[in-house]
Amino acid sequence: MNTKLKCLLLDDEIPGLTYLKMLCEQIPELEIVKTFNNPQKLLSDIPELEFDLLISDIEMPGMDGLHLAEMVGNKLVIFCTAYKEYAADAFNIDAVDYITKPVKLERLQKAVSKALERFEKPDTAKKFIQLNTDKGKTLLYFNQIQYIKTAVSDSRDKTVLLADGSFLNLKNVKFDTLLKELPEASFCRINKKEIIAVKAIKFFNHNEIVLHHIEENHKNTTLLLSETYRSDFLKKVKL
C-alpha cells in the first residue's frame, strides 16, 4: 500500500505539537505538510495548502477544533484532546477518530488506518430512506435524525425529531423496518417506543439518556433506557 495521507497538525501547546509531530513521523502512511499552534493561522493558510487529513486538538484559544473542522471543507479529521466530553460532538461532524491524551503511537496508528481506509474508499453508503408521512413521501436523511418515537396519535405511526428541532410524522412504519435501514453504528433502540441517534446523546446513565435537544420548558429531552436494550446500547456507545 503506497498511499500517503498529506497531513496538517494543530495543537496550541508547543510541547504537545512537537510530541504529535514526532509520533506522526513514525507512521509511514503520513506525510506532514505543515504544523500549526494557532487555529486562525491554519485557517488563513488553507487556500495555499494541499492536504487530506487534519489532526487537531479541540480546546484552543480563539477557535476550538470542532468549529475549525467544520470550516476546512471535505477533509478527514482526527481529534487528539485531553477531554473526553467532546466525543459525541466530534462524531456528530463525522470525525474519523477521537483520541484522548496522552496519545500513544499504537492508538494514533489505528486512527490513521481508519482515515486511510476512508480516503481510499469514499463513502458511498446510502444517506437516506424514503418514507411516507402525513404530508406525502419524504427522503429522510440519516444525519438529520435525533430520535424516533411512537406517535401519540397512532401507535402504528412514528414521530421523528430532526436536527433543526422540527418534528416529522411517519405513517404506518415499524421500528424493525426502520432499524434495518438505519446505519447500525449510528442508531440504537433504547426502549419499546424509541430509537435514538448516538450523536444526539449529551449524557447517559444506567437508566436514562439525556439528549442535546432542548424542549419548550428549556430542559433537555430525557429518555428512559430500559433493561431490555441496555446491554446493546452500552456496547454501541463504548469508545
Side-chain angles (χ1 to χ4, degrees):
M1 186 179 297
N2 298 319
T3 303
K4 276 184 176 282
L5 292 174
K6 295 182 178 181
C7 178
L8 302 184
L9 307 181
L10 172 63
D11 194 316
D12 65 300
E13 297 182 355
I14 298 297
L17 182 61
T18 302
Y19 177 67
L20 180 61
K21 182 174 183 288
M22 182 269 291
L23 292 181
C24 289
E25 287 172 342
Q26 299 178 61
I27 299 177
E29 295 88 354
L30 289 183
E31 175 188 332
I32 301 171
V33 175
K34 197 168 183 179
T35 64
F36 294 87
N37 69 336
N38 183 303
Q40 285 91 353
K41 174 61 174 170
L42 185 151
L43 203 58
S44 67
D45 283 6
I46 277 181
E48 310 300 324
L49 299 173
E50 182 182 345
F51 71 102
D52 311 304
L53 171 67
L54 169 64
I55 302 179
S56 176
D57 195 3
I58 289 184
E59 283 208 349
M60 296 175 289
M63 180 186 299
D64 67 60
L66 294 167
H67 287 107
L68 175 67
E70 292 179 318
M71 299 173 73
V72 298
N74 188 26
K75 303 294 184 181
L76 302 169
V77 179
I78 295 171
F79 289 111
C80 296
T81 176
Y83 304 93
K84 294 181 179 180
E85 60 264 31
Y86 298 111
D89 293 324
F91 290 116
N92 191 28
I93 61 172
D94 203 25
V96 173
D97 212 338
Y98 187 96
I99 305 173
T100 52
K101 296 179 179 180
V103 182
K104 295 181 179 179
L105 178 60
E106 295 82 2
R107 181 66 182 86
L108 184 58
Q109 175 72 71
K110 181 179 178 182
V112 170
S113 295
K114 289 182 183 179
L116 194 61
E117 182 177 353
R118 192 185 292 191
F119 180 75
E120 293 181 329
K121 298 178 181 178
D123 185 11
T124 56
K126 191 175 180 181
K127 300 289 195 305
F128 61 84
I129 177 176
Q130 180 178 292
L131 292 163
N132 293 320
T133 75
D134 50 358
K135 298 178 180 179
K137 291 186 181 295
T138 189
L139 299 180
L140 181 60
Y141 282 79
F142 303 141
N143 64 357
Q144 292 298 306
I145 302 171
Q146 301 297 294
Y147 77 90
I148 306 172
K149 63 180 181 179
T150 300
V152 175
S153 57
D154 189 333
S155 62
R156 294 172 298 179
D157 297 345
K158 304 296 179 285
T159 300
V160 183
L161 171 65
L162 300 175
D164 64 1
S166 64
F167 289 91
L168 187 65
N169 192 45
L170 307 178
K171 298 297 293 181
N172 195 22
V173 61
K174 297 179 179 179
F175 278 126
D176 287 344
T177 301
L178 291 169
L179 286 169
K180 287 178 182 178
E181 295 287 344
L182 294 171
E184 184 178 358
S186 301
F187 292 88
C188 186
R189 191 165 186 177
I190 58 170
N191 57 55
K192 286 185 176 180
K193 294 186 175 182
E194 289 162 326
I195 294 172
I196 64 166
V198 174
K199 70 176 184 180
I201 300 168
K202 185 171 185 179
F203 306 112
F204 65 88
N205 59 37
H206 206 58
N207 298 306
E208 66 181 20
I209 298 166
V210 179
L211 304 184
H212 289 284
H213 179 249
I214 305 294
E215 298 183 346
E216 291 182 358
N217 61 6
H218 305 296
K219 294 182 179 180
N220 293 77
T221 298
T222 301
L223 307 175
L224 173 68
L225 175 58
S226 73
E227 183 177 356
T228 304
Y229 300 98
R230 186 178 297 138
S231 177
D232 286 342
F233 170 79
L234 294 176
K235 289 178 184 176
K236 192 153 293 188
V237 298
K238 185 178 180 181
L239 292 176

